[in-house]
Amino acid sequence: MNKLLVTLSLAAAVVAAPAAAVSYDAFTSFNGVNGSGSFNYGFTDNTTLTSFNVSATNGLCALGTGSTCLYYSDTGNLPQASIGGSYSTVAVPANAILVHPGNAATLSDYIGFVAPNAGSYTYTINLESVGTDTGTGTGYRTFTSLAGVVTSLGTRSLLPTYTSTGTLTGTQTLALGEVFGVIVDFNGDYGGDSTGVNFSIATVPATVPEPATWGLMIVGFGMVGFSARRRRNVVAA
């Protein structure tokens, strides 16, 4: 009987300990390589995703000495993502990823988290307009995608001026390999769409019974074991 109680107590203690949440952060993992730190960067027409295919430290994507960035091509007005430095009228944030969409709706930028495991995730996405041009602001929304195809779009919000900020928070259930992230668009004015983005996401630990519940279960198992032993003794007598 005592051995049974000890075994049940140890099992309950192990199962009752919730797994620690695993956190992911786009800014700290960004190193100018697409797919770094479980994140992917590119542009979208809100139907499909296209990953950035060029990285450089100079040229049209030179956002300060030593800055590393990703973009689609080396000609024309580009969708871009980078960290630190400065470029023209853009004050590139040192603590966020710079997102700079192209001059068309089909060149909206995205930052996407690729789920390494199926499950629920909590997310926080902070956005800040960092361009100094007096444009019409920046549009932004969440999205999910599977195999490069956009499967859902969140409600579109707006950073109306070049000094605006916005925040998106919530919980998202994802399948293995499914992408969840944020899309930033130019809202009709390419001159004022530079946006600093911080995107963090973490796993939601599986819900487990409270210690008090396990205690009651252990007592119940003990009583069942005691009753069974008593019945055996009665039968033997």
Side-chain angles (χ1 to χ4, degrees):
M1 178 63 180
N2 290 336
K3 290 183 178 180
L4 175 61
L5 286 175
V6 171
T7 302
L8 290 173
S9 298
L10 291 175
V14 171
V15 177
V22 180
S23 299
Y24 305 86
D25 182 76
F27 173 71
T28 56
S29 66
F30 184 84
N31 60 7
V33 177
N34 215 326
S36 61
S38 296
F39 290 89
N40 181 268
Y41 316 89
F43 61 94
T44 180
D45 58 359
N46 295 337
T47 301
T48 59
L49 302 181
T50 303
S51 298
F52 288 145
N53 58 9
V54 178
S55 62
T57 56
N58 52 39
L60 289 176
C61 205
L63 301 174
T65 302
S67 294
T68 304
C69 48
L70 295 170
Y71 56 92
Y72 175 55
S73 69
D74 57 358
T75 59
N77 291 324
L78 310 175
Q80 304 167 355
S82 182
I83 293 178
S86 62
Y87 176 72
S88 184
T89 58
V90 178
V92 182
N95 61 349
I97 295 178
L98 173 74
V99 175
H100 190 58
N103 61 348
T106 55
L107 294 179
S108 298
D109 276 5
Y110 74 85
I111 299 176
F113 169 75
V114 185
N117 296 290
S120 295
Y121 295 81
T122 58
Y123 63 89
T124 300
I125 304 171
N126 293 313
L127 304 98
E128 177 184 7
S129 182
V130 295
T132 57
D133 294 337
T134 55
T136 56
T138 299
Y140 63 95
R141 62 175 63 184
T142 59
F143 75 94
T144 58
S145 171
L146 193 61
V149 177
V150 175
T151 54
S152 68
L153 290 170
T155 301
R156 183 175 179 272
S157 299
L158 185 67
L159 301 178
T161 70
Y162 63 90
T163 59
S164 300
T165 61
T167 299
L168 297 167
T169 60
T171 301
Q172 183 70 36
T173 300
L174 298 172
L176 173 65
E178 191 171 11
V179 178
F180 170 78
V182 60
I183 294 173
V184 178
D185 66 66
F186 78 131
N187 198 46
D189 189 336
Y190 179 72
D193 61 1
S194 296
T195 306
V197 178
N198 286 107
F199 179 8
S200 60
I201 189 167
T203 58
V204 178
T207 302
V208 297
E210 295 293 331
T213 303
W214 279 109
L216 291 174
M217 291 174 63
I218 291 171
V219 171
F221 286 138
M223 293 178 66
V224 170
F226 178 77
S227 298
R229 183 178 180 182
R230 186 175 181 181
R231 282 197 299 272
R232 285 198 302 271
N233 290 339
V234 170
V235 171

